[in-house]
Amino acid sequence: MRGLIAALLLWAAWLEGLNAQCPEPELLKDANNTKLCARLFESSHYYNEQSCGGRSLDVYPGDDAPELKFVWNNRISSLVVSRQCSLTVWSRTKKQGKKKKFSTGIQYRLKDVDQGLFGDWDNDISGYFCEC
């Protein structure tokens, strides 16, 4: 019986994690209450209220990452850019390939952002520069 209760509690916690919610751009801060330029997320969802899930990467004003670490390269599916900031991303490392500039706001699904005739930006960011 205890095993069943424990399993149900774990399942409920897992379901709660699926209901992620993107932070509002004007409230975008890290755990120390420092203003962020952007926050990048590894998951998105068909329903906006379930996007911005999974692991997140905090980007500070002035951060310049021409090459993302392996755990983040081509794994970003949604993002939020803080108020009065912009995030420029590239599809290849060292600021090569396609380029896109995101301004203040929430991008629930990078799959919805075209990258030329046959592609989109879902899981295709390999570098960024953020400024406020």
Side-chain angles (χ1 to χ4, degrees):
M1 184 67 172
R2 280 187 174 167
L4 177 62
I5 292 172
L8 287 173
L9 288 173
L10 285 172
W11 183 69
W14 178 77
L15 281 178
E16 183 63 31
L18 290 178
N19 291 324
Q21 186 173 346
C22 299
E24 292 298 322
E26 59 273 3
L27 303 175
L28 202 56
K29 295 183 179 182
D30 70 5
N32 296 321
N33 209 30
T34 303
K35 180 185 176 175
L36 295 174
C37 183
R39 183 170 284 152
L40 315 176
F41 298 90
E42 71 175 346
S43 298
S44 64
H45 195 275
Y46 179 77
Y47 297 109
N48 291 349
E49 61 274 2
Q50 293 180 21
S51 284
C52 299
R55 293 177 299 158
S56 64
L57 174 63
D58 287 347
V59 179
Y60 293 87
D63 276 1
D64 190 4
E67 294 186 48
L68 292 180
K69 294 180 181 179
F70 176 75
V71 296
W72 283 106
N73 190 38
N74 295 327
R75 299 215 168 126
I76 298 165
S77 292
S78 56
L79 57 87
V80 178
V81 179
S82 190
R83 199 161 127 203
Q84 298 179 343
C85 297
S86 66
L87 175 73
T88 304
V89 300
W90 287 268
S91 63
R92 302 284 174 251
T93 60
K94 299 181 183 175
K95 299 182 180 178
Q96 301 292 313
K98 304 279 183 170
K99 177 180 170 182
K100 171 77 176 161
K101 188 172 190 175
F102 294 92
S103 52
T104 300
I106 301 170
Q107 188 59 56
Y108 294 102
R109 288 174 302 283
L110 289 174
K111 186 175 281 196
D112 295 341
V113 180
D114 290 334
Q115 187 191 109
L117 190 57
F118 296 109
D120 59 54
W121 282 96
D122 188 38
N123 295 320
D124 205 28
I125 294 175
S126 294
Y128 65 79
F129 173 69
C130 208
E131 59 186 339
C132 297

